[in-house]
Amino acid sequence: MKVIICGAGQVGYGIAERLSQEDNDVSVIDTSASLVGHITETLDVRGYVGHGAHPDVLAKAGADQADMIIAVTLYDEINMVACQVAHSLFNVPTKIARIRSQSYLRPEYSDLFSRDNMPIDVTISPEVEVGKMVLRRISFPGANDIARFADDHIAMVAIECMEDCPVVNTPLHQLSQLFPDLMATVTAIYRNGRLHAVHSTDQLLVGDLAYVICQRDHIRRTLGLFGHEEQEAGRIVIAGGGNIGYFVARTIDEMQPRMKVKIIEGDRERAVSVSDQLRHAIVLHGSALDQNVLMQADIQDADLMVALTNSDQTNVLSAAMAKRLGCKSGMILINDPSYQDLTTSIGIDAYINPRAVTISRVLQHVRKGRIRSVYAVQKGAAEVIEAEALETSPLVGRPFRDLELPEGMRIGAIYRDGAVLRPDGSTRIKTKDRVVLFVTAAAIRDVEQMFRVSIQYF
């Protein structure tokens, strides 16, 4: 596949890195010569210095032969025009744009991004995607990571096995025997820096991070099975009243008004604006790094501090201060991956990488075959994929025990006719089933082929 990426920043670099590793033909455009130089020196991609919306630059990048354009510059308008030019002049089949301003995404303007108006096939709003992730993590404390599939009927939950985890040293096949009505399957383990799909004879050890695919209604029970009985936060302090912080606070305001939320925002004008739009949340003007401001927010009584500012340093330090002042738990936004390993050592309980969330949304549309959803884990070492089974798939009609699945692939759940099924040896996949599976990077091509439309289908 030939792909053009407009924008060589963190998100553009991350997408280019993933796609180039999978032998795609990738070209990257950016106005910054230093960013283009860096990306071409470190990745197997072509780089072009110029404006991503200019026809001559797109032509140099090979837009006339491109299968897809992914516009992820810092500016919505450049992303939109780049997609429009790619469509009008070069007939690029698939156009993806990152749109950050919520004004463009309001329901009353839903026809804006259509073939008759502005032909963008997929719009990605990082703020909304990250905000939803924050809300899911708030709803299910004890989960290190969580993603949803099959219209929110199935979830992937990453759970750390602590010292008191009751299921350690138990072969996985025994778990299904001990809990026959629990719709949950352990699909992978991250242990000692290595991620691998599991076999039924494998056992969980203390310190493992288990990737479990389960029915959404069974998430809390699954967490409890692993010894995680953390209560949902009742008092939350949010550092940062930007798009993400406001989205999180507004959603809690509307859906869970009994939850007490306080927001700390450094910009006075923004603080006043956010305060006017929220009914129950309290907004404080000040710095999240100011101990006096944190005390005014009653941080010592808070169950959770969520740091969502645009500064990684502010997020890390404010959450660490909050924990020192008595806050029970901390969750932060981190853009720079180099900070991720630091979080555990200073007592921060969870982090979210917005770049990873955005890349996962893009990969959903890059993957070949009937791929409905993708979520990347462990910096792209594996993906959780939701795919629709067609009658030509080699998976259809045969019992699981007879399937020769590639190494690195583990099926976690099946969604069929509104019901979630946990697979066992006798399970047979049917046409139109939506299959949620864990796949290591090396096995992704095999999965694409399994769910690809063959010529016989027509």
Side-chain angles (χ1 to χ4, degrees):
M1 179 182 291
K2 181 172 179 56
V3 181
I4 295 176
I5 300 172
C6 297
Q10 289 186 342
V11 172
Y13 184 96
I15 296 169
E17 183 178 37
R18 293 297 301 281
L19 297 185
S20 63
Q21 288 172 349
E22 299 171 11
D23 298 325
N24 292 288
D25 183 350
V26 180
S27 297
V28 181
I29 300 171
D30 201 285
T31 55
S32 170
S34 60
L35 288 178
V36 171
H38 174 66
I39 203 169
T40 54
E41 289 169 5
T42 55
L43 303 179
D44 183 18
V45 303
R46 285 187 295 275
Y48 300 88
V49 179
H51 199 293
H54 287 179
D56 57 331
V57 178
L58 287 171
K60 290 178 183 177
D64 58 330
Q65 300 294 322
D67 300 294
M68 177 181 295
I69 183 170
I70 304 170
V72 288
T73 74
L74 295 176
Y75 305 100
D76 294 350
E77 291 73 22
I78 293 176
N79 296 337
M80 291 188 290
V81 174
C83 289
Q84 178 72 67
V85 173
H87 171 82
S88 301
L89 297 184
F90 302 103
N91 199 29
V92 176
T94 304
K95 299 158 287 290
I96 300 175
R98 178 169 67 173
I99 305 295
R100 304 181 70 176
S101 173
Q102 298 307 295
S103 176
Y104 291 118
L105 303 175
R106 290 170 63 173
E108 57 264 40
Y109 306 136
S110 58
D111 290 339
L112 175 61
F113 301 112
S114 64
R115 181 163 291 272
D116 293 335
N117 296 312
M118 191 168 290
I120 298 175
D121 302 289
V122 182
T123 59
I124 297 175
S125 171
E127 286 79 5
V128 171
E129 297 294 332
V130 172
K132 290 179 179 178
M133 175 64 71
V134 171
L135 290 166
R136 287 197 291 271
R137 298 284 284 274
I138 291 174
S139 297
F140 299 104
N144 284 49
D145 200 358
I146 187 167
R148 62 180 187 175
F149 302 90
D151 302 329
D152 206 17
H153 292 282
I154 295 174
M156 182 285 298
V157 188
I159 312 172
E160 185 176 359
C161 297
M162 311 295 284
E163 291 282 352
D164 57 349
C165 177
V167 296
V168 296
N169 302 319
T170 304
L172 296 177
H173 66 84
Q174 289 188 15
L175 295 181
S176 58
Q177 298 168 6
L178 293 170
F179 308 96
D181 61 338
L182 180 64
M183 292 294 178
T185 302
V186 178
T187 56
I189 297 172
Y190 183 72
R191 176 185 297 161
N192 298 326
R194 183 174 176 270
L195 182 67
H196 68 275
V198 298
H199 300 282
S200 61
T201 55
D202 288 339
Q203 300 182 21
L204 295 169
L205 303 178
V206 173
D208 283 353
L209 186 65
Y211 286 88
V212 185
I213 294 176
C214 65
Q215 183 176 333
R216 186 187 186 280
D217 293 341
H218 289 204
I219 295 176
R220 295 194 190 282
R221 187 180 168 197
T222 302
L223 288 167
L225 177 65
F226 279 76
H228 288 276
E229 302 283 359
E230 293 92 337
Q231 296 298 309
E232 188 173 352
R235 298 173 181 267
I236 299 176
V237 175
I238 299 174
N243 288 337
I244 300 174
Y246 170 69
F247 177 85
V248 171
R250 187 192 69 194
T251 304
I252 294 174
D253 218 36
E254 295 172 352
M255 306 299 294
Q256 295 178 292
R258 292 185 179 180
M259 190 177 287
K260 299 184 184 303
V261 177
K262 295 182 179 180
I263 303 172
I264 300 173
E265 168 56 41
D267 182 272
R268 183 176 184 82
E269 185 176 340
R270 177 64 180 178
V272 172
S273 173
V274 170
S275 179
D276 289 342
Q277 297 177 71
L278 298 175
R279 290 183 297 170
H280 301 99
I282 296 173
V283 182
L284 302 176
H285 171 235
S287 170
L289 296 177
D290 187 330
Q291 182 169 319
N292 292 328
V293 174
L294 289 172
M295 296 301 289
Q296 288 177 34
D298 296 322
I299 198 67
Q300 69 278 5
D301 299 322
D303 299 308
L304 176 65
M305 163 73 151
V306 187
L308 303 173
T309 76
N310 291 325
S311 167
D312 286 351
Q313 294 90 337
T314 299
N315 293 338
V316 171
L317 292 174
S318 62
M321 288 177 62
K323 288 294 290 285
R324 184 174 60 83
L325 293 171
C327 182
K328 295 183 179 65
S329 183
M331 182 193 307
I332 66 175
L333 203 65
I334 295 182
N335 289 280
D336 188 343
S338 63
Y339 284 106
Q340 293 177 9
D341 296 332
L342 175 66
T343 57
T344 303
S345 63
I346 61 175
I348 296 172
D349 303 275
Y351 67 83
I352 294 173
N353 184 340
R355 181 177 73 166
V357 175
T358 304
I359 291 172
S360 291
R361 284 280 284 112
V362 170
L363 290 175
Q364 173 180 339
H365 304 281
V366 172
R367 293 278 168 260
K368 301 179 180 68
R370 288 297 182 93
I371 306 299
R372 283 177 167 266
S373 187
V374 172
Y375 186 75
V377 301
Q378 292 297 336
K379 302 177 183 178
E383 294 175 8
V384 182
I385 294 176
E386 176 193 343
E388 181 181 344
L390 299 171
E391 62 182 86
T392 54
S393 170
L395 299 177
V396 170
R398 299 168 60 191
F400 270 36
R401 63 172 62 93
D402 295 338
L403 294 177
E404 296 179 2
L405 300 179
E407 189 66 26
M409 172 181 168
R410 173 85 165 163
I411 296 176
I414 298 169
Y415 184 64
R416 176 189 300 163
D417 299 328
V420 176
L421 308 178
R422 184 182 67 182
D424 57 32
S426 62
T427 303
R428 298 172 188 262
I429 293 177
K430 296 182 179 181
T431 302
K432 295 186 178 180
D433 279 355
R434 288 156 70 173
V435 184
V436 181
L437 58 159
F438 185 96
V439 190
T440 59
I444 287 173
R445 285 285 177 259
D446 295 322
V447 172
E448 289 180 335
Q449 289 300 320
M450 287 180 177
F451 293 94
R452 199 166 186 176
V453 181
S454 68
I455 192 68
Q456 291 87 352
Y457 185 73
F458 299 99

